[in-house]
Amino acid sequence: MRWRFRQISDLAVSWAGHHVLPAALIAFTAIWTAVGLIFSFPRQWFLLTNMVGTLITFFILLLVQHSQNRDMKALHTKLDELIRSSEAGNHWIAAEKKDVGAIEDMRQQHQDQISQNRA
């Protein structure tokens, strides 16, 4: 099931991010508005359209967030492996999981080491 969701999510995110989509949506909106004005769509039709548009926007937001979270986890895993295989200190592994104070302390130590090496 997760594999299928990932496939659908990747397809939807790539489709939603396509460069033609904004122009197609603007054209669709203009045509829809013109047809609505010609046939005098009732006010409820516009409210329904607003609701559907909001739901679609929310759905796309969730898909993009899911995709970004997966990409960030993969990126952190790759960085951790690079740190593990290099001469860097292993205390940097999984730094994103530490609290803000610990990360700031690590960053300050790193800046102090850089300034000592320059002097």
Side-chain angles (χ1 to χ4, degrees):
M1 181 67 178
R2 285 186 178 188
W3 176 78
R4 181 57 101 189
F5 177 76
R6 188 178 319 144
Q7 254 187 338
I8 293 170
S9 173
D10 289 344
L11 181 65
V13 167
S14 67
W15 178 77
H18 198 273
H19 67 279
V20 175
L21 188 66
L25 287 176
I26 290 170
F28 176 77
T29 304
I31 292 168
W32 188 89
T33 303
V35 169
L37 292 172
I38 291 169
F39 292 111
S40 301
F41 285 142
R43 185 176 303 214
Q44 290 81 9
W45 182 261
F46 290 107
L47 293 174
L48 177 67
T49 303
N50 188 16
M51 182 188 71
V52 169
T54 302
L55 289 174
I56 289 172
T57 302
F58 182 68
F59 180 66
I60 297 254
L61 174 75
L62 290 176
L63 286 175
V64 168
Q65 187 67 40
H66 171 75
S67 176
Q68 285 181 342
N69 285 343
R70 194 177 69 242
D71 289 348
M72 285 304 285
K73 285 180 184 178
L75 180 64
H76 284 294
T77 303
K78 291 175 185 179
L79 287 173
D80 288 347
E81 183 56 31
L82 285 172
I83 292 169
R84 194 177 351 269
S85 65
S86 72
E87 293 180 16
N90 286 341
H91 63 280
W92 289 102
I93 293 176
E96 71 279 0
K97 295 179 182 174
K98 297 181 180 180
D99 63 16
V100 176
I103 292 173
E104 185 58 32
D105 291 343
M106 291 169 62
R107 191 189 67 76
Q108 189 60 43
Q109 280 181 332
H110 183 67
Q111 291 297 331
D112 292 345
Q113 287 175 353
I114 289 174
S115 51
Q116 285 177 359
N117 289 340
R118 287 183 183 169

